[in-house]
Amino acid sequence: MDLTTLVKDDKMIIYLSGEIDHHTSREIRDGVDRLIITHRPKAFILDLSGVDFMDSSGLGLVLGRFRKIKELGGEMYIANAGDRTMKILKMAGVDKIIKSVECRITNQE
Amino acid sequence: MNRYNNQFKITFPAKSANEAFSRSLISAFSTQLDPTIEELCDIKTAVSEAVTNCIVHAYAKETDERKKTVSITAYIEYDNLLTVKISDRGCGIDDIEKALQPMYSGSGSDERSGMGFSIMGCFTDKLSVKSKPGKGTTVTLKKYIGKQHAAKK
C-alpha cells in the first residue's frame, strides 16, 4: 500500500489505496503514524477514496488514528469514503465521531 | 433438484497473507451464483472477518506452527443458498455470547475494533458459532445469493 501525502501549513492529507485488512493494516498504521508524528498536523484528513476493500481491521486503524491525533491536539477528518467503506464505518458509529469532508489532492490546494 | 450443487474444502496455514486469499477464493466460488456486486462484497467481508479471527485469536498461545491452520468448507444448496464454514483447531471461545457483542475484543492490544462478529451477522442471512475451549471454533455463515433470490423478494 502506497501512502500519498500532502502537507500544507498545519494540514495533512493522507490518501490510502488498496485493501485494508488485518494483514495490511499494520504497515499502513506504521506509515501513517510516522507521518503524524513528523508533521503533527492540526487538521488531519484521511482520504479513503482509493480503498477498495475494508473490514473491521480498517475500523481499528481509523479509530486508532483518531485517538492519536486527539492526543496530539489535532482534529481528524475522513474524506471520500466509498459506499462500502462508509457502510462499515457507520456500523461502528465512526461517522458520528469523525467528521466527513470533501477534498481532492491537487497542486492548487 | 439436487440439494447440493457444488462445494469445496480447503485448509491453509493461519497466516495473515491468507486473508486476501480467502476473500478471492470465496469470491471466485460465489461467482457461479451470479451475485450482485453488493452480495459479493458482503460475503467477502464476512469471510475475511471469520478468517482474521482464526489468525488473530485462535492460535495466540500455540507454538507448533504446523498446528496453526484454518479450514474453509463452502457449499451451494437449492441453487441460491451459500454456506461457508470457517474453522480452526485453536483455543476456542470461552464465552460466545460475550464474543458476539459489538465492540467486544478478546485481544486487548493491536487496535482490534471488536466489530468482526457484528459485521459477519450484518452481511449474511445467518451466523452461527460453535466453539469448545481448547478444541477450536467453527463459524457458519449462510447467505442467499443471486438473481433467483432477488426475483422472489
Side-chain angles (χ1 to χ4, degrees):
Chain A
M1 161 105 43
D2 290 325
L3 300 178
T4 308
T5 319
L6 181 88
V7 184
K8 199 184 174 192
D9 305 325
D10 50 6
K11 251 194 271 176
M12 179 167 79
I13 302 173
I14 293 182
Y15 169 82
L16 298 182
S17 64
E19 305 202 325
I20 307 179
D21 62 11
H22 159 251
H23 181 68
T24 59
S25 63
R26 181 169 296 183
E27 192 189 328
I28 300 167
R29 181 182 67 197
D30 292 349
V32 171
D33 280 358
R34 259 198 305 275
L35 289 162
I36 288 174
I37 287 161
T38 306
H39 298 288
R40 292 183 170 252
K42 280 273 169 276
F44 167 56
I45 300 166
L46 196 61
D47 185 332
L48 298 170
S49 56
V51 173
D52 38 43
F53 176 85
M54 188 180 103
D55 62 16
S56 68
S57 304
L59 284 174
L61 178 83
V62 170
L63 288 168
R65 304 300 63 69
F66 173 73
R67 278 192 285 269
K68 188 143 208 121
I69 285 286
K70 276 264 169 214
E71 272 170 30
L72 295 171
E75 278 294 325
M76 176 169 164
Y77 304 90
I78 286 168
N80 312 320
D83 291 348
R84 283 302 299 189
T85 308
M86 194 41 96
K87 194 172 174 179
I88 305 251
L89 292 172
K90 280 185 173 168
M91 276 186 67
V94 174
D95 59 313
K96 300 235 166 58
I97 56 167
I98 308 178
K99 274 187 215 146
S100 281
V101 291
E102 274 187 38
C103 78
R104 291 276 174 275
I105 294 187
T106 63
N107 291 330
Q108 281 78 45
E109 265 186 272
Chain B
M1 186 170 63
N2 223 350
R3 184 173 165 183
Y4 294 101
N5 309 48
N6 204 355
Q7 59 182 306
F8 80 85
K9 182 169 184 182
I10 188 166
T11 300
F12 50 82
K15 290 181 189 297
S16 62
N18 286 330
E19 291 155 11
F21 169 66
S22 66
R23 291 197 295 275
S24 304
L25 198 68
I26 202 63
S27 183
F29 183 71
S30 306
T31 306
Q32 61 192 296
L33 289 168
D34 202 6
T36 62
I37 301 280
E38 190 77 5
E39 288 169 337
L40 211 52
C41 288
D42 286 351
I43 197 72
K44 269 172 75 175
T45 311
V47 168
S48 189
E49 296 294 353
V51 170
T52 301
N53 274 352
C54 300
I55 291 164
V56 173
H57 302 290
Y59 302 108
K61 286 174 189 150
E62 179 60 62
T63 49
D64 187 348
E65 286 297 321
R66 290 167 302 179
K67 286 185 181 165
K68 299 182 184 182
T69 58
V70 179
S71 295
I72 299 180
T73 307
Y75 50 92
I76 294 163
E77 290 169 87
Y78 309 118
D79 294 331
N80 66 356
L81 176 59
L82 174 71
T83 300
V84 191
K85 288 176 187 276
I86 300 100
S87 53
D88 63 67
R89 293 166 167 273
C91 61
I93 302 170
D94 290 330
D95 188 341
I96 294 176
E97 210 174 308
K98 198 167 156 190
L100 289 172
Q101 283 171 5
M103 304 288 190
Y104 172 80
S105 176
S107 152
S109 58
D110 209 27
E111 299 189 342
R112 308 301 311 157
S113 67
M115 288 299 288
F117 278 124
S118 302
I119 288 175
M120 285 181 238
C122 185
F123 289 174
T124 59
D125 293 307
K126 195 176 176 221
L127 157 72
S128 55
V129 184
K130 273 190 185 159
S131 188
K132 258 192 185 163
K135 295 279 179 199
T137 302
T138 297
V139 168
T140 305
L141 306 167
K142 283 181 182 283
K143 188 170 178 66
Y144 288 97
I145 283 186
K147 279 178 186 163
Q148 286 163 324
H149 176 61
K152 275 184 214 158
K153 273 187 199 168

